[in-house]
């Protein structure tokens, strides 16, 4: 079963590099375009192959074995990411962050597009230490999309920006012991509290985020200076303050109960009802996008649960220096 699971995992990895081929099939074979589009979604890949794994498991070991394996897995993070992405992408939350960014932009002695760009790549990723990395990623990506990616910038600008954003988000959540998943796994066992995280890892991560952002701003300075003043993501002046406060309360409550899905799923259902009460101040909820990311993470949990037999010895036998450079390569 372990060998079969590893083969399926390898096929899933290969599938991620073939999604453009499935999108092409959707255009050339319209009869089954929906299926090809589905298989061409990167976020669907691991979820799809996890179903294949469960089918193989059910036929070879019995349906009871497959069900028991599935019930042993922890899907809390996948559920949490779905909820936090949906809440963070709402118009009131975006309006709040946009107000803060606009105020900070006026304090920086730089052209507005450049200052706003720096804040999107530095300030918001560091904010992920308090509102979690998925929420910070959502906010930064949406603000960059509205403020820059719709302004006719080159593909080079987009790829470089996203690369730096992904890295900054990944390291920007280590100022606190509860935001970054790798930290969460060991913080309680090793006694890593807020003071330890901020003094040992946090300031280094903040410095790295700042250096990354300044370097990419210098690299793209010609395009940044040629852009008009970046528009606001939302009409922030028309957004009622109480709506912003309520949405932030839902966001922080979800973060607070991030390890208790029975609580934050209940809060999310209440949140969905609240958004229906004020449709005039809401944008379309990003349920599909959030579901796709949650499905991706859930598929990774199912497939990854049977990779320990080869992955753990491999990592345990690697020297710290080799592991460090391997991590850099995997990040790229």
């Amino acid at each position: 079963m372990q060998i079969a699971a590893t083969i399926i995992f390898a096929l899933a990895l290969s599938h991620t590099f073939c999604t453009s081929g499935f999108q092409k099939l959707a255009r050339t074979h319209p009869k089954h375009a929906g299926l090809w589009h589905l298989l061409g979604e990167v976020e669907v890949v691991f979820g799809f192959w996890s179903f294949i794994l469960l089918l193989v498991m059910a036929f070879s070991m019995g349906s009871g074995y497959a069900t028991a394996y599935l019930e042993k897995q922890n899907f809390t993070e996948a559920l949490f990411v779905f909820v936090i992405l949906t809440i963070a992408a709402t118009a009131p939350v975006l309006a709040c962050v946009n107000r803060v960014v606009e105020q900070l932009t006026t304090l920086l002695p730089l052209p507005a597009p450049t200052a706003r760009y720096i804040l999107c790549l530095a300030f918001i990723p560091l904010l992920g230490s308090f509102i979690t990395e998925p929420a910070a990623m959502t906010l930064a990506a949406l603000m960059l999309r509205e403020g820059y990616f719709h302004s006719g910038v080159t593909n080079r600008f987009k790829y470089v920006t996203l690369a730096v954003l992904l890295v900054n988000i990944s390291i920007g959540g280590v100022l606190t012991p509860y935001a970054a998943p790798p930290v969460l796994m060991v913080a309680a066992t090793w006694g890593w509290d807020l003071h330890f995280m901020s003094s040992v890892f946090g300031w280094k991560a903040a410095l790295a985020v700042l250096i990354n952002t300044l370097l990419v701003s210098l690299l793209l300075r010609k395009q940044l200076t040629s852009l008009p003043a970046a528009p606001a993501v939302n009409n922030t002046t028309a957004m009622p303050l109480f709506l912003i406060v309520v949405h932030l309360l839902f966001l922080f409550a979800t973060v607070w109960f991030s390890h208790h899905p029975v609580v934050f799923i209940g809060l999310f259902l209440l949140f969905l009802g609240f958004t229906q009460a004020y449709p005039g101040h809401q944008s379309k909820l990003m349920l599909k996008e959030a579901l796709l990311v949650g499905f991706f993470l859930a598929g990774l949990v199912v497939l990854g649960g049977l990779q320990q037999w080869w992955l753990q010895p491999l990592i345990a036998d690697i020297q710290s220096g080799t592991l460090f450079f391997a991590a850099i390569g995997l990040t790229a």
Side-chain angles (χ1 to χ4, degrees), residues 216-240:
V216 75
S217 300
L218 287 173
L219 181 66
L220 302 174
R221 63 186 182 279
K222 291 184 179 179
Q223 290 195 63
L224 286 172
T225 53
S226 65
L227 292 172
V233 175
N234 289 283
N235 184 2
T236 58
T237 57
M239 186 65 65

Side-chain angles (χ1 to χ4, degrees), residues 15-146:
H15 185 169
T16 61
F17 293 97
C18 302
T19 51
S20 59
F22 287 105
Q23 294 289 354
K24 185 178 179 181
L25 282 173
R27 294 190 295 270
T28 56
H29 296 76
K31 185 177 179 180
H32 300 289
L35 175 62
W36 301 130
H37 272 302
L38 181 68
L39 294 177
E41 290 280 359
V42 175
E43 295 87 351
V44 171
V45 171
F46 285 100
F48 169 78
W49 284 100
S50 68
F51 276 106
I52 302 296
L53 172 63
L54 291 171
L55 287 175
V56 171
M57 193 180 292
F59 279 109
S60 61
M61 310 291 287
S63 60
Y65 182 89
T67 303
Y69 170 75
L70 200 58
E71 290 178 340
K72 288 179 183 177
Q73 307 311 307
N74 187 351
F75 296 102
T76 299
E77 185 181 353
L79 291 169
F80 171 75
V81 168
F82 162 64
V83 172
I84 202 72
L85 287 183
T86 305
I87 297 176
T90 53
V93 176
L94 279 171
C96 175
V97 176
N98 191 61
R99 286 182 185 180
V100 175
V101 170
E102 288 299 321
Q103 291 296 319
L104 293 175
T105 298
T106 60
L107 300 177
L108 295 179
L110 295 167
T114 304
R116 187 181 177 88
Y117 182 81
I118 289 173
L119 289 170
C120 286
L121 286 184
F123 169 69
I124 296 179
L126 292 176
L127 194 63
S129 288
F130 305 94
I131 63 173
T132 72
E133 294 173 349
M137 183 68 199
T138 304
L139 293 169
L142 289 175
M143 295 183 71
L144 286 168
R145 183 189 69 177
E146 298 299 325

Side-chain angles (χ1 to χ4, degrees), residues 86-255:
T86 305
I87 297 176
T90 53
V93 176
L94 279 171
C96 175
V97 176
N98 191 61
R99 286 182 185 180
V100 175
V101 170
E102 288 299 321
Q103 291 296 319
L104 293 175
T105 298
T106 60
L107 300 177
L108 295 179
L110 295 167
T114 304
R116 187 181 177 88
Y117 182 81
I118 289 173
L119 289 170
C120 286
L121 286 184
F123 169 69
I124 296 179
L126 292 176
L127 194 63
S129 288
F130 305 94
I131 63 173
T132 72
E133 294 173 349
M137 183 68 199
T138 304
L139 293 169
L142 289 175
M143 295 183 71
L144 286 168
R145 183 189 69 177
E146 298 299 325
Y148 297 91
F149 285 20
H150 286 174
S151 301
V153 294
T154 63
N155 282 339
R156 177 173 176 266
F157 182 100
K158 295 176 182 179
Y159 275 114
V160 171
T161 299
L162 286 176
V164 174
L165 176 62
L166 286 165
V167 173
N168 284 358
I169 290 287
S170 295
I171 63 177
V174 298
L175 276 72
T176 62
Y178 61 80
V183 175
L184 280 170
M185 293 168 62
V186 298
T189 303
W190 292 348
W192 288 1
D193 57 12
L194 181 63
H195 176 265
F196 177 85
M197 290 302 301
S198 59
S199 61
V200 176
F201 297 112
W203 69 271
K204 299 174 185 176
L207 183 61
V209 166
L210 185 60
I211 291 172
N212 290 342
T213 304
L214 292 178
L215 287 175
V216 75
S217 300
L218 287 173
L219 181 66
L220 302 174
R221 63 186 182 279
K222 291 184 179 179
Q223 290 195 63
L224 286 172
T225 53
S226 65
L227 292 172
V233 175
N234 289 283
N235 184 2
T236 58
T237 57
M239 186 65 65
L241 180 61
F242 87 94
L243 271 183
I244 294 177
V245 172
V246 171
H247 276 65
L248 290 178
L249 287 175
F250 273 113
L251 182 71
F252 290 130
T254 301
V255 173

